[in-house]
Amino acid sequence: MNIWNTKDKNLKELCNVENAEKQQKTKSNTGKRLFELIEFVAVVSICIFMFFYEQGVALNLQTGDSVSFGTYLGEPIQWRVIKIGEDWETVLISEKILTFKAFDAPASGVFNEDEEGNSYWSVHETEADRDFELQAFVRGSNCWADSDIRAWLNSDEETVRYEGIGPIASAMSENKNGYIGEPGFLTGFSKKEKAALLPTQNITNGNALDKTPIETTDFVYLLSKDELSWLKEANVSIYALPTRQAVQQDQTLWYRMFSLDLGLEAYLWWLREPVPDKSSRCYMVDNGYRKEILRTMEVGTEGFGIRPVVKVNAKKIKFAANNG
Protein backbone atom coordinates (compact mmCIF):
# COMPACT_ATOMS: atom_id res chain seq x y z
CA MET A 1 0.00 0.00 0.00
CA ASN A 2 1.22 3.47 -0.87
CA ILE A 3 1.07 5.43 2.39
CA TRP A 4 1.29 8.76 0.55
CA ASN A 5 -1.72 7.93 -1.58
CA THR A 6 -3.65 7.07 1.59
CA LYS A 7 -2.60 10.34 3.22
CA ASP A 8 -3.53 12.27 0.11
CA LYS A 9 -6.88 10.56 0.04
CA ASN A 10 -7.55 11.28 3.74
CA LEU A 11 -6.40 14.86 3.32
CA LYS A 12 -8.66 15.31 0.28
CA GLU A 13 -11.65 13.90 2.20
CA LEU A 14 -10.88 16.19 5.13
CA CYS A 15 -10.75 19.18 2.79
CA ASN A 16 -14.05 18.15 1.22
CA VAL A 17 -15.68 17.98 4.68
CA GLU A 18 -14.31 21.39 5.62
CA ASN A 19 -15.49 22.84 2.32
CA ALA A 20 -18.94 21.31 2.83
CA GLU A 21 -19.11 22.77 6.35
CA LYS A 22 -18.01 26.16 5.06
CA GLN A 23 -20.62 26.03 2.31
CA GLN A 24 -23.29 25.00 4.81
CA LYS A 25 -22.24 27.76 7.20
CA THR A 26 -22.25 30.26 4.33
CA LYS A 27 -25.74 29.14 3.31
CA SER A 28 -26.87 29.38 6.93
CA ASN A 29 -25.45 32.89 7.33
CA THR A 30 -26.95 33.92 4.02
CA GLY A 31 -30.33 32.56 5.08
CA LYS A 32 -30.08 34.31 8.44
CA ARG A 33 -29.16 37.61 6.82
CA LEU A 34 -31.98 37.19 4.31
CA PHE A 35 -34.44 36.53 7.14
CA GLU A 36 -33.18 39.56 9.05
CA LEU A 37 -33.49 41.67 5.91
CA ILE A 38 -37.05 40.46 5.33
CA GLU A 39 -37.88 41.15 8.97
CA PHE A 40 -36.41 44.67 8.74
CA VAL A 41 -38.31 45.42 5.53
CA ALA A 42 -41.52 44.17 7.16
CA VAL A 43 -41.06 46.41 10.22
CA VAL A 44 -40.26 49.44 8.06
CA SER A 45 -43.25 48.69 5.85
CA ILE A 46 -45.56 48.48 8.88
CA CYS A 47 -44.18 51.78 10.24
CA ILE A 48 -44.66 53.47 6.87
CA PHE A 49 -48.16 52.03 6.60
CA MET A 50 -49.11 53.21 10.09
CA PHE A 51 -47.68 56.66 9.41
CA PHE A 52 -49.70 57.13 6.26
CA TYR A 53 -52.71 55.40 7.83
CA GLU A 54 -52.70 57.89 10.69
CA GLN A 55 -52.34 60.75 8.24
CA GLY A 56 -55.11 59.28 6.14
CA VAL A 57 -57.44 58.97 9.12
CA ALA A 58 -56.79 62.57 10.09
CA LEU A 59 -56.73 64.03 6.60
CA ASN A 60 -59.80 62.04 5.58
CA LEU A 61 -61.87 64.07 8.05
CA GLN A 62 -63.86 66.84 6.43
CA THR A 63 -65.88 69.68 7.88
CA GLY A 64 -69.43 68.50 8.42
CA ASP A 65 -68.43 64.93 9.28
CA SER A 66 -70.03 63.21 12.26
CA VAL A 67 -67.72 61.44 14.73
CA SER A 68 -68.12 59.67 18.06
CA PHE A 69 -65.92 60.85 20.92
CA GLY A 70 -66.36 60.48 24.69
CA THR A 71 -69.58 59.76 26.58
CA TYR A 72 -72.12 61.66 28.64
CA LEU A 73 -74.82 60.13 30.86
CA GLY A 74 -73.52 56.73 29.75
CA GLU A 75 -74.10 57.34 26.04
CA PRO A 76 -71.53 58.01 23.27
CA ILE A 77 -71.39 61.66 22.20
CA GLN A 78 -71.83 62.41 18.51
CA TRP A 79 -69.93 65.46 17.27
CA ARG A 80 -69.77 67.44 14.04
CA VAL A 81 -66.48 68.63 12.58
CA ILE A 82 -66.76 72.41 12.14
CA LYS A 83 -63.14 73.47 11.64
CA ILE A 84 -59.88 71.79 10.60
CA GLY A 85 -56.53 73.51 11.09
CA GLU A 86 -52.86 72.63 10.86
CA ASP A 87 -51.24 69.62 12.57
CA TRP A 88 -54.52 67.68 12.72
CA GLU A 89 -56.20 70.31 14.94
CA THR A 90 -59.91 69.60 14.59
CA VAL A 91 -62.76 71.56 16.22
CA LEU A 92 -65.87 69.59 17.13
CA ILE A 93 -69.29 70.65 18.41
CA SER A 94 -71.78 68.23 19.89
CA GLU A 95 -74.37 67.35 17.29
CA LYS A 96 -77.17 67.65 19.84
CA ILE A 97 -77.84 69.54 23.05
CA LEU A 98 -76.44 67.25 25.76
CA THR A 99 -77.98 68.77 28.88
CA PHE A 100 -80.12 71.66 30.18
CA LYS A 101 -78.20 73.78 32.67
CA ALA A 102 -77.88 77.32 34.00
CA PHE A 103 -74.84 79.24 32.79
CA ASP A 104 -74.08 80.52 36.28
CA ALA A 105 -75.89 80.48 39.62
CA PRO A 106 -76.31 83.78 41.52
CA ALA A 107 -73.84 84.14 44.38
CA SER A 108 -76.64 85.43 46.63
CA GLY A 109 -77.96 81.87 46.81
CA VAL A 110 -81.48 82.90 45.78
CA PHE A 111 -82.38 84.11 42.30
CA ASN A 112 -83.33 87.81 42.27
CA GLU A 113 -82.87 88.20 46.03
CA ASP A 114 -79.98 89.61 48.01
CA GLU A 115 -78.62 88.41 51.35
CA GLU A 116 -81.04 90.63 53.27
CA GLY A 117 -84.01 89.09 51.50
CA ASN A 118 -84.72 92.09 49.27
CA SER A 119 -86.48 90.98 46.10
CA TYR A 120 -85.75 92.27 42.62
CA TRP A 121 -88.66 90.60 40.85
CA SER A 122 -90.51 93.40 39.10
CA VAL A 123 -91.89 94.37 35.71
CA HIS A 124 -90.42 97.80 36.38
CA GLU A 125 -86.76 98.73 36.61
CA THR A 126 -85.15 97.91 39.93
CA GLU A 127 -81.81 98.68 41.54
CA ALA A 128 -80.48 95.39 40.14
CA ASP A 129 -81.06 96.74 36.64
CA ARG A 130 -78.89 99.77 37.35
CA ASP A 131 -76.23 98.34 39.67
CA PHE A 132 -74.26 95.79 37.61
CA GLU A 133 -72.46 94.24 40.58
CA LEU A 134 -75.79 93.68 42.32
CA GLN A 135 -77.24 92.40 39.05
CA ALA A 136 -74.59 89.66 38.75
CA PHE A 137 -74.88 88.89 42.46
CA VAL A 138 -78.62 88.17 42.41
CA ARG A 139 -79.03 86.81 38.86
CA GLY A 140 -75.70 85.11 38.09
CA SER A 141 -72.65 86.40 36.24
CA ASN A 142 -72.36 86.34 32.46
CA CYS A 143 -68.54 86.34 32.66
CA TRP A 144 -67.46 83.12 30.92
CA ALA A 145 -64.12 82.97 32.77
CA ASP A 146 -65.79 82.72 36.19
CA SER A 147 -68.95 80.82 35.24
CA ASP A 148 -70.18 77.60 36.80
CA ILE A 149 -70.75 76.04 33.39
CA ARG A 150 -67.11 76.58 32.38
CA ALA A 151 -65.92 74.93 35.61
CA TRP A 152 -68.20 71.93 35.02
CA LEU A 153 -67.32 71.49 31.34
CA ASN A 154 -63.57 71.54 32.00
CA SER A 155 -63.56 69.21 35.00
CA ASP A 156 -62.69 65.49 34.96
CA GLU A 157 -63.31 65.11 38.70
CA GLU A 158 -66.18 63.36 40.45
CA THR A 159 -66.59 66.45 42.62
CA VAL A 160 -66.18 69.67 40.65
CA ARG A 161 -64.53 72.61 42.39
CA TYR A 162 -66.54 75.81 42.00
CA GLU A 163 -65.95 79.37 43.09
CA GLY A 164 -68.52 80.41 45.66
CA ILE A 165 -71.69 78.41 46.28
CA GLY A 166 -71.66 76.64 42.91
CA PRO A 167 -74.70 75.64 40.81
CA ILE A 168 -77.08 74.61 43.59
CA ALA A 169 -80.73 74.10 42.65
CA SER A 170 -82.02 76.52 45.29
CA ALA A 171 -80.12 79.37 43.60
CA MET A 172 -81.73 78.82 40.19
CA SER A 173 -84.74 80.80 39.00
CA GLU A 174 -87.09 77.84 39.53
CA ASN A 175 -84.99 75.93 42.08
CA LYS A 176 -84.39 73.11 39.59
CA ASN A 177 -81.62 71.48 37.52
CA GLY A 178 -78.88 72.03 40.08
CA TYR A 179 -75.67 70.31 39.02
CA ILE A 180 -73.30 70.88 41.91
CA GLY A 181 -73.39 67.15 42.71
CA GLU A 182 -72.86 65.99 39.12
CA PRO A 183 -69.38 64.74 38.11
CA GLY A 184 -67.46 66.96 35.69
CA PHE A 185 -68.22 66.64 31.99
CA LEU A 186 -64.81 65.12 31.20
CA THR A 187 -65.33 62.16 33.53
CA GLY A 188 -67.05 60.51 30.58
CA PHE A 189 -63.83 60.55 28.53
CA SER A 190 -61.10 57.89 28.56
CA LYS A 191 -57.48 58.71 29.37
CA LYS A 192 -56.63 58.42 25.67
CA GLU A 193 -59.51 60.69 24.67
CA LYS A 194 -58.51 63.33 27.22
CA ALA A 195 -54.92 63.15 25.94
CA ALA A 196 -56.22 64.03 22.47
CA LEU A 197 -57.87 67.25 23.71
CA LEU A 198 -56.01 70.44 22.88
CA PRO A 199 -56.14 73.61 24.98
CA THR A 200 -57.85 76.49 23.21
CA GLN A 201 -57.00 80.13 23.84
CA ASN A 202 -60.38 81.84 23.81
CA ILE A 203 -61.02 85.57 23.72
CA THR A 204 -64.49 86.44 25.03
CA ASN A 205 -66.02 89.89 24.91
CA GLY A 206 -66.37 91.72 28.18
CA ASN A 207 -69.64 92.50 29.95
CA ALA A 208 -70.92 95.64 31.65
CA LEU A 209 -68.38 95.17 34.44
CA ASP A 210 -65.33 93.90 32.55
CA LYS A 211 -65.63 96.18 29.50
CA THR A 212 -62.55 94.65 27.82
CA PRO A 213 -62.24 91.13 26.30
CA ILE A 214 -61.06 88.34 28.60
CA GLU A 215 -58.72 85.49 27.62
CA THR A 216 -59.18 81.96 28.92
CA THR A 217 -57.58 78.59 28.23
CA ASP A 218 -60.25 75.92 27.78
CA PHE A 219 -60.36 72.25 26.89
CA VAL A 220 -64.15 72.45 26.55
CA TYR A 221 -66.07 75.62 25.81
CA LEU A 222 -69.16 77.19 24.28
CA LEU A 223 -69.17 79.10 21.00
CA SER A 224 -69.12 82.88 20.73
CA LYS A 225 -71.36 84.82 18.35
CA ASP A 226 -68.56 85.20 15.79
CA GLU A 227 -67.72 81.48 15.92
CA LEU A 228 -71.24 80.59 14.81
CA SER A 229 -69.95 81.22 11.28
CA TRP A 230 -67.95 77.99 11.60
CA LEU A 231 -71.24 76.06 11.52
CA LYS A 232 -72.34 77.72 8.31
CA GLU A 233 -68.95 77.14 6.69
CA ALA A 234 -69.09 73.46 7.68
CA ASN A 235 -72.70 73.11 6.47
CA VAL A 236 -73.82 72.17 9.99
CA SER A 237 -77.21 73.39 11.19
CA ILE A 238 -77.20 76.14 13.78
CA TYR A 239 -80.35 74.63 15.27
CA ALA A 240 -80.03 71.62 17.53
CA LEU A 241 -82.25 68.96 19.04
CA PRO A 242 -81.69 67.73 22.60
CA THR A 243 -80.72 64.12 23.31
CA ARG A 244 -83.24 61.82 24.93
CA GLN A 245 -81.08 61.79 28.07
CA ALA A 246 -81.10 65.61 28.24
CA VAL A 247 -84.89 65.70 28.14
CA GLN A 248 -85.15 62.97 30.78
CA GLN A 249 -82.67 64.75 33.05
CA ASP A 250 -84.48 68.10 32.83
CA GLN A 251 -86.80 69.08 35.68
CA THR A 252 -88.26 72.22 34.08
CA LEU A 253 -91.11 72.59 31.59
CA TRP A 254 -89.31 75.10 29.40
CA TYR A 255 -88.43 72.72 26.58
CA ARG A 256 -92.11 71.97 26.19
CA MET A 257 -93.07 75.65 26.48
CA PHE A 258 -90.38 77.04 24.15
CA SER A 259 -90.31 74.23 21.57
CA LEU A 260 -92.68 71.27 21.76
CA ASP A 261 -95.83 73.35 22.25
CA LEU A 262 -94.81 75.31 19.15
CA GLY A 263 -94.39 72.15 17.10
CA LEU A 264 -90.59 72.22 17.21
CA GLU A 265 -88.02 69.71 18.43
CA ALA A 266 -85.02 72.06 18.15
CA TYR A 267 -84.24 73.98 21.33
CA LEU A 268 -82.32 76.98 22.65
CA TRP A 269 -78.63 76.61 23.55
CA TRP A 270 -76.18 78.90 25.35
CA LEU A 271 -73.28 80.82 23.83
CA ARG A 272 -70.46 82.09 26.04
CA GLU A 273 -71.08 85.59 24.68
CA PRO A 274 -72.23 88.14 27.30
CA VAL A 275 -74.71 90.88 26.50
CA PRO A 276 -72.31 93.85 26.59
CA ASP A 277 -74.48 96.26 28.60
CA LYS A 278 -75.49 93.63 31.18
CA SER A 279 -73.66 91.60 33.81
CA SER A 280 -76.21 88.79 34.06
CA ARG A 281 -77.43 88.03 30.53
CA CYS A 282 -75.86 85.91 27.76
CA TYR A 283 -76.77 85.24 24.17
CA MET A 284 -78.21 81.92 23.08
CA VAL A 285 -79.18 80.37 19.77
CA ASP A 286 -82.92 80.25 19.22
CA ASN A 287 -84.88 77.27 17.89
CA GLY A 288 -85.96 78.63 14.51
CA TYR A 289 -89.48 79.68 15.49
CA ARG A 290 -88.65 83.37 15.27
CA LYS A 291 -86.92 85.26 12.49
CA GLU A 292 -84.10 86.25 14.85
CA ILE A 293 -81.31 83.70 15.22
CA LEU A 294 -80.31 84.80 18.72
CA ARG A 295 -82.05 85.78 21.92
CA THR A 296 -80.77 86.74 25.37
CA MET A 297 -81.47 85.16 28.76
CA GLU A 298 -80.60 85.60 32.42
CA VAL A 299 -77.74 83.19 33.12
CA GLY A 300 -79.30 81.91 36.35
CA THR A 301 -82.18 80.32 34.44
CA GLU A 302 -81.67 76.60 34.45
CA GLY A 303 -83.59 74.98 31.60
CA PHE A 304 -81.52 75.80 28.51
CA GLY A 305 -79.19 73.79 26.35
CA ILE A 306 -75.47 73.09 26.53
CA ARG A 307 -73.72 72.24 23.27
CA PRO A 308 -70.01 71.73 24.12
CA VAL A 309 -67.11 72.47 21.77
CA VAL A 310 -63.65 70.82 21.86
CA LYS A 311 -60.46 70.95 19.83
CA VAL A 312 -58.67 67.63 19.35
CA ASN A 313 -55.54 66.26 17.76
CA ALA A 314 -57.12 63.94 15.21
CA LYS A 315 -53.84 62.03 14.87
CA LYS A 316 -54.19 60.74 18.43
CA ILE A 317 -57.72 59.40 18.03
CA LYS A 318 -58.98 57.00 15.39
CA PHE A 319 -62.36 58.53 14.63
CA ALA A 320 -64.98 56.46 12.88
CA ALA A 321 -66.07 59.27 10.59
CA ASN A 322 -69.37 59.37 8.75
CA ASN A 323 -68.35 61.53 5.79
CA GLY A 324 -71.07 63.88 4.72
Side-chain angles (χ1 to χ4, degrees):
M1 177 184 295
N2 189 333
I3 189 170
W4 297 111
N5 290 339
T6 302
K7 286 182 178 181
D8 289 342
K9 185 179 180 182
N10 291 339
L11 184 61
K12 189 180 293 185
E13 289 176 354
L14 181 61
C15 289
N16 290 338
V17 170
E18 288 179 351
N19 289 334
E21 289 177 350
K22 286 180 180 179
Q23 291 176 3
Q24 184 65 31
K25 190 174 183 180
T26 300
K27 288 181 181 180
S28 178
N29 290 337
T30 302
K32 184 178 180 181
R33 284 195 296 270
L34 181 61
F35 177 78
E36 290 174 346
L37 179 61
I38 293 172
E39 187 177 40
F40 174 76
V41 170
V43 171
V44 171
S45 299
I46 291 172
C47 290
I48 293 173
F49 170 78
M50 291 304 297
F51 174 76
F52 284 105
Y53 173 75
E54 288 181 348
Q55 291 199 73
V57 168
L59 296 176
N60 189 48
L61 283 177
Q62 301 174 18
T63 54
D65 284 352
S66 176
V67 299
S68 180
F69 180 61
T71 65
Y72 179 60
L73 299 178
E75 295 292 330
I77 303 172
Q78 294 300 315
W79 306 78
R80 300 296 295 276
V81 177
I82 57 173
K83 197 174 182 65
I84 298 176
E86 297 178 353
D87 299 325
W88 299 280
E89 291 186 357
T90 306
V91 179
L92 311 173
I93 187 171
S94 65
E95 187 164 13
K96 294 186 176 182
I97 292 167
L98 300 184
T99 184
F100 300 156
K101 284 177 167 53
F103 187 94
D104 189 69
S108 65
V110 180
F111 190 84
N112 254 342
E113 286 188 19
D114 62 21
E115 292 172 314
E116 284 73 40
N118 298 311
S119 175
Y120 300 96
W121 291 99
S122 176
V123 294
H124 304 293
E125 186 179 78
T126 69
E127 185 181 356
D129 296 301
R130 298 183 295 271
D131 183 335
F132 295 127
E133 289 188 1
L134 176 62
Q135 187 179 115
F137 183 68
V138 300
R139 297 172 183 170
S141 171
N142 62 358
C143 176
W144 163 251
D146 302 325
S147 66
D148 291 330
I149 197 63
R150 176 175 178 256
W152 178 74
L153 285 170
N154 284 275
S155 175
D156 62 355
E157 299 178 354
E158 290 294 322
T159 302
V160 182
R161 287 173 284 186
Y162 296 100
E163 294 290 333
I165 62 172
I168 57 176
S170 59
M172 307 303 178
S173 64
E174 289 193 353
N175 306 136
K176 297 175 181 177
N177 287 15
Y179 55 98
I180 193 166
E182 184 177 342
F185 176 67
L186 291 177
T187 56
F189 290 68
S190 69
K191 183 180 293 187
K192 185 176 181 180
E193 287 169 333
K194 285 186 286 187
L197 293 172
L198 296 172
T200 300
Q201 304 298 319
N202 282 316
I203 303 294
T204 305
N205 288 330
N207 62 9
L209 291 171
D210 302 320
K211 303 297 184 183
T212 58
I214 296 177
E215 183 175 349
T216 56
T217 301
D218 307 308
F219 284 99
V220 189
Y221 58 100
L222 305 178
L223 289 182
S224 68
K225 283 200 302 181
D226 289 343
E227 291 163 354
L228 285 173
S229 63
W230 297 350
L231 295 171
K232 183 178 180 180
E233 292 164 4
N235 198 28
V236 173
S237 176
I238 196 173
Y239 302 115
L241 280 62
T243 63
R244 176 176 53 85
Q245 292 80 11
V247 175
Q248 292 175 344
Q249 185 191 48
D250 181 38
Q251 298 170 351
T252 74
L253 297 176
W254 292 347
Y255 176 49
R256 175 164 295 282
M257 182 175 69
F258 278 94
S259 290
L260 296 181
D261 288 347
L262 300 176
L264 301 172
E265 291 186 74
Y267 192 45
L268 293 75
W269 50 281
W270 291 106
L271 300 177
R272 71 175 192 274
E273 185 93 20
V275 176
D277 59 349
K278 299 288 183 182
S279 62
S280 65
R281 295 182 77 88
C282 270
Y283 289 98
M284 58 172 60
V285 176
D286 214 329
N287 56 12
Y289 185 75
R290 306 182 311 150
K291 182 172 64 175
E292 294 80 4
I293 294 175
L294 302 178
R295 70 164 69 205
T296 70
M297 192 67 64
E298 297 291 345
V299 296
T301 49
E302 65 269 49
F304 298 103
I306 302 298
R307 202 175 175 191
V309 180
V310 296
K311 182 166 66 176
V312 299
N313 183 340
K315 185 179 178 182
K316 291 187 177 182
I317 290 291
K318 303 301 184 294
F319 288 121
N322 176 17
N323 295 96

